[in-house]
Amino acid sequence: VDQANFWGAWVIDAEIRTEMKSLDLLAGDNPTLANGLQAMQRSNGGSFALDNDKGNWKFKLNVECKDVNDAKSVKDAGEALKVEINKLVQGLDELAKNDPKGGVPLSVRNDFNTLTFQNQDNMASLSVQISAQSLADAAKLMPQSKPAKDFGPKDDFAKNDGMKRDKFDGPKK
């Protein structure tokens, strides 16, 4: 993990465990998700790694579980969540049949299919690859916002930013 472009680790304490109980709502009536979320609440912590290779991203998440059974529950919950997300994607595609932008881009689907879950001993892991093409295609689906206002020359700064001063002369020296 510590060889990645970006990485981090965490420890789960009693306060965080209490906060994690709200995750139970995500399971709905899916017992596999419920078991996995409860196993996550008993976990000790984990780590993540994010690597970039020419705009293509590789993400890995590791969860150190209480025991082998919890690690398997977390893995199984991840796989169940992937099935549910696939159903959602199919539903979005159905809704977008007549939309000129189309549904979920093929590149995003292909990257989603790289999502894997594993468990070994008391460790549960998730990994996924996200291509530069997938990010570009997903960005096209996002609503376009208006560009930020250009404040113009520095003498106009004060009247444009709403602050009470006569003019802005740049940073103090």
Side-chain angles (χ1 to χ4, degrees):
V1 167
D2 63 351
Q3 300 299 312
N5 295 128
F6 304 97
W7 64 274
W10 67 91
V11 174
I12 297 176
D13 62 12
E15 183 179 344
I16 293 172
R17 276 190 183 77
T18 300
E19 295 293 325
M20 288 176 72
K21 289 190 185 301
S22 64
L23 293 175
D24 289 342
L25 297 173
L26 296 174
D29 60 357
N30 187 320
T32 304
L33 285 175
N35 289 339
L37 290 169
Q38 290 167 7
M40 288 280 293
Q41 292 171 27
R42 293 187 294 268
S43 68
N44 299 317
S47 63
F48 72 90
L50 185 62
D51 280 309
N52 184 316
D53 180 27
K54 298 176 185 157
N56 300 307
W57 293 90
K58 293 179 182 176
F59 179 75
K60 183 155 187 170
L61 177 73
N62 299 305
V63 178
E64 183 184 325
C65 298
K66 180 181 152 195
D67 57 35
V68 174
N69 292 330
D70 276 1
K72 183 173 181 339
S73 291
V74 170
K75 176 191 126 338
D76 292 346
E79 290 173 346
L81 184 60
K82 184 176 179 179
V83 168
E84 294 302 316
I85 292 171
N86 249 332
K87 289 178 189 175
L88 176 65
V89 167
Q90 290 171 357
L92 290 172
D93 280 345
E94 186 64 29
L95 288 172
K97 276 196 294 193
N98 298 322
D99 187 334
K101 287 185 177 181
V104 177
L106 182 60
S107 60
V108 174
R109 286 174 188 281
N110 290 339
D111 286 354
F112 181 72
N113 288 328
T114 69
L115 180 63
T116 59
F117 300 90
Q118 300 173 335
N119 67 294
Q120 183 176 2
D121 299 324
N122 69 329
M123 193 69 70
S125 301
L126 164 153
S127 62
V128 66
Q129 296 181 36
I130 304 169
S131 67
Q133 183 64 53
S134 181
L135 292 172
D137 290 346
K140 292 175 190 171
L141 297 175
M142 300 297 161
Q144 298 299 312
S145 62
K146 294 180 181 177
K149 182 179 180 194
D150 180 9
F151 285 109
K154 68 180 181 179
D155 290 316
D156 290 344
F157 187 83
K159 68 181 179 189
N160 286 325
D161 74 356
M163 299 187 88
K164 296 186 189 301
R165 59 180 180 242
D166 292 332
K167 72 180 209 179
F168 178 71
D169 293 321
K172 293 181 182 178
K173 296 177 183 175

